Amino acid sequence: MAIKTEKEYRERIDKLRPKLFFGGKKVERLNDHPISKGVIDATARVYELTTDPEYADTMTAISHLTGEPISRALHIHQSKEDLFKRLDMARLGSQKLGTCNYRCPGNEMLPSLAATTWEIDHDKGTEYHQRFNDYMRYAQENDLVVSGSVTDPKGDRSKRPLEQDPDFYVHVVEKKADGIVVNGAKQHATGAYAADETLVLPGISSKKGEEDYALAFVIPNGSPGVTYIGQYNSFSVEREYEKETRVLGNPIYGQRETCLIVFDHVFVPWDRVFMCGEVEYTQKFITRFAKTHRMNCGGACKVGFMDLIIGATKLMAEYNGLSKASHIAQKITRMLQLNDTSLACATAAAYFGKEEPEGSGVFMPDETMGNIAKLNTNDGFWEVIALAGDIAGGIPATMPSEKELDNPEIKDYVAKYLKAAAPADQRMRIARFLQNWVAGLHGIGTYQGSGPSQSQYVSIYRIADLESKKKMALDLANAIG
Ligand SMILES: Cc1cc2nc3c(=O)[nH]c(=O)nc-3n(C[C@H](O)[C@H](O)[C@H](O)COP(=O)(O)OP(=O)(O)OC[C@H]3O[C@@H](n4cnc5c(N)ncnc54)[C@H](O)[C@@H]3O)c2cc1C
């Protein structure tokens, strides 16, 4: 059976010993550390959803390679229908977890890899696509979690890779008969240490002379020479030291966890290399990944997050006794408008999706609509969290710990003065949940994840058909009666 259970995933991951660090300390076992355990629990929940008959249509697909049912997280879109279902999967994951589902970033690279390896082979007679398909069969049969890394540390953003420390972008340092050796790092890699494998794509469009940087490959978790350095912040400290996780904002699954992955002379066998040196295809890899990622990330994943924020905000209004206040209804409607606009653009991206390149069998979303979905979310998410903060009042920022409700010396004060139209415990629970969204990492995470607005402006302007719009204006302006 190609679809594995949550238990099988946990058993597999429990055997891994990646070289991982949090807060200045090495982690011996992923399951023993509260931060990595949160990532495992979130990923395991995705396996549960996949094996739940209620979500089978959303969470599973039929492999175009083997004809077997597989997790949709390892499926390559073969139709518009697949694009629509991919959106449903992203939104469902966010609604159920309130954090990354950790199977998305790798999944969103797969269509780009399928399409671009097909194109390189078609143009140049290479064997990248065959290798990629062989890898996909292996990943699908074992139902692997594949994380995805595109973002290089980049160093000085005004300089090209060869104008500064060469390791600021992942690159080949040696080619051998049986594979390549790579150096460098990838940043912000979501959930990579609790995934089975990490896919690496170029983060920059390479030019002639930069062949060593035109790289796409996959490596197993914990490959020799790989170090994972986890993000660490006040939420991490809280998760690490708070024994009563029930009082955390997102009790089981926590924050979206990312890491810096360092590649120090990492060997990659040729059968796991999907591009090596073809600079003219790097832009295609990036563009195809970006349009898929922006449709899902901006127009479905973050829509699921906003569903949670809107729900919690409405609860807060009711708990504060303001369920009938008209300005609150209007503000919640504005939140819905922002959220549903992103979903509408993503749905349009799927609707206008098409096979790319022709003959490859791979379906890609419409680039303009996918970028607009993400751009709308970049601005919209900030506004949604601002409105949530407006409606909830100051309590998500100033509340005491819910543990005070167990403290005999003060529990009656807290129960009395934090009560409103709902009991204090109920109100504090939702205030804490909202704190996680409005006073935490999610604003910047949503804005930068899959690229800041400037990246979408560039894409949208590059592909816009402004000539035809100019012509329309001229035709009408110069019309003679
Ligand atoms: C929560 C989260 C999860 C993520 N998950 C992943 C993941 O799983 N895999 C992955 O690969 N990446 C991931 N990312 C990375 C994400 O795609 C990047 O953060 C984003 O592309 C911005 O890159 P940066 O952080 O290096 O910022 P920068 O590129 O430094 O951008 C900062 C600002 O500088 C501007 N800028 C940058 N370069 C230039 C230039 N040359 N000229 C003018 N202006 C410039 C940008 O427009 C932006 O406004 C994640 C990020 C976050 C926050």
Side-chain angles (χ1 to χ4, degrees), residues 249 308-317 335 384-385 387-389 391-393 395-397 399 428-440 442:
L308 293 171
I309 301 173
I310 295 168
T313 304
K314 179 74 172 76
L315 283 169
M316 250 346 251
M335 293 163 91
V384 162
I385 62 179
L387 288 167
I391 293 169
I395 185 174
M399 64 183 278
M428 288 170 81
R429 184 80 297 263
I430 288 300
R432 188 81 155 113
F433 180 77
L434 263 183
Q435 184 186 78
N436 175 64
W437 293 104
V438 304
H442 282 288

Side-chain angles (χ1 to χ4, degrees), residues 248-269:
L248 301 181
N250 187 3
I252 303 176
Y253 307 119
Q255 295 294 314
R256 293 165 69 193
E257 297 294 343
T258 70
C259 59
L260 172 70
I261 312 182
V262 179
F263 302 84
D264 189 353
H265 294 87
V266 175
F267 176 73
V268 187

